[in-house]
Structures are given as C-alpha cells and as structure tokens.
C-alpha cells in the first residue's frame, strides 16, 4: 500500500441504475472518469468490480454520500454507505465516504457547457460526478473548501 499523499484512488458515484467511477492520483491531484458500472437496483456486477480493482490496484476507495441539502441522511445515502461497506468487505481496501451534495447538478452543468444534449439516461454524467467526488476528497485532504468528508 502506498503511503498517504501517493495513493491511487478509485471514486464511485453510487446510483441505482449506474455507478460512476473515476480514478485519481493523490500526488498529482488528477482524476479521470472510467466507464460507469451498470447496476440493477443499486447492485453492480461484482465480477466487473473485481476486474476493475484488479486492473487499477487502488490503495483507497472513495464513495460519494448523497446527503439531503440539510445534511441529514436519505434513503440513497443509506444505500451508498451499504455499497461502501460491501466494497470494503469484499476487497479489504479502506473506503471513505464523501459528502457529494451538488455534484450531480455540477456534473450536468459541466456536461452542458461541453455540448451535452440533456439526455442523461442515454449519455450519463456519472463519471463526471465521480471525478467531482474525488476532487472534493482531494480538497478535504488539503483543508480546502468544498472538501466535505463524512463518516
């Protein structure tokens, strides 16, 4: 396992139909989206998740926590926590939850500015949201605003 500051991180934007994925390098604070995972009622194909982790060999997993705007838990935040717990349990990798409030809205804005036509079901922004989650985690590590870590 790489030491803090030099880790490779996989970030997930949990959803019931799709789970966005991004990979990032802590040293460079860089992140890029990977192909989203398809999910059936929030459950991914764990064989594909296994291949993803085997390919990238991350040191840390980060999962976006979709809290309500007032900071309270939602049904989706409970499900996202369960997903994070399953990732940790299956793969033995540390998993941190990050407050992701506003990332989907911001991802859609970024996509629209890049020419997205607005059909998010067909052309998802889940990968962009996963990048934003990871960038929020990086910001938190630096003590910058926007980096809201949740437990």
């Amino acid at each position: 396992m790489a030491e803090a500051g030099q880790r490779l991180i996989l970030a997930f934007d949990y959803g019931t139909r799709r789970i966005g994925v991004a990979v990032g390098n802590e040293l460079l604070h860089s992140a890029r989206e990977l192909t989203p995972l398809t999910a059936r009622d929030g459950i991914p194909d764990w064989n594909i998740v296994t291949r993803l982790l085997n390919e990238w060999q991350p040191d840390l997993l980060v999962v976006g926590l979709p809290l309500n705007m007032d900071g309270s838990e939602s049904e989706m935040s409970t499900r996202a926590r369960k997903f994070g717990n399953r990732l940790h349990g299956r793969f033995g990798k540390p998993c941190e939850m990050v407050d992701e409030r506003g990332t989907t809205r911001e991802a859609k804005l970024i996509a629209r500015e890049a020419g997205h036509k607005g059909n998010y079901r067909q052309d998802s922004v889940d990968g962009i949201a996963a990048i934003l989650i990871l960038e929020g985690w990086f910001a938190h590590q630096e003590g910058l605003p926007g980096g809201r870590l949740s437990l």
Side-chain angles (χ1 to χ4, degrees):
M1 167 122 158
E3 60 186 76
Q6 300 180 6
R7 295 173 290 188
L8 186 73
I9 303 160
L10 278 181
F12 298 89
D13 176 41
Y14 178 80
T16 55
R17 281 191 224 118
R18 266 188 310 269
I19 299 169
V21 185
V23 62
N25 178 299
E26 189 177 20
L27 182 63
L28 301 175
H29 284 210
S30 65
R32 72 178 181 95
E33 69 180 289
L34 300 176
T35 304
L37 302 169
T38 56
R40 183 170 276 173
D41 193 27
I43 300 169
D45 179 334
W46 288 105
N47 293 322
I48 294 173
V49 178
T50 299
R51 284 198 298 269
L52 184 68
L53 269 76
N54 286 340
E55 177 182 351
W56 288 99
Q57 294 292 309
D59 300 297
L60 175 68
L61 306 173
V62 171
V63 177
L65 187 64
L67 297 169
N68 292 318
M69 291 313 283
D70 67 0
S72 63
E73 294 277 337
S74 66
E75 179 192 343
M76 282 301 284
S77 62
T78 300
R79 294 180 74 169
R81 279 187 198 279
K82 192 174 191 179
F83 174 71
N85 289 338
R86 285 189 176 147
L87 283 171
H88 175 69
R90 284 175 179 262
F91 303 105
K93 302 275 184 186
C95 186
E96 294 185 16
M97 305 301 294
V98 177
D99 181 349
E100 67 158 63
R101 282 179 283 184
T103 55
T104 299
R105 185 173 53 250
E106 188 177 347
K108 288 178 179 178
L109 180 63
I110 290 167
R112 276 196 305 276
E113 288 174 356
H116 194 287
K117 302 293 184 226
N119 185 345
Y120 300 109
R121 219 172 243 209
Q122 181 179 338
D123 188 14
S124 81
V125 295
D126 301 304
I128 297 170
I131 288 171
L132 294 171
I133 289 166
L134 189 47
E135 288 175 347
W137 185 87
F138 289 146
H140 175 77
Q141 300 309 301
E142 296 292 316
L144 298 172
R148 303 169 303 235
L149 191 69
S150 300
L151 301 175

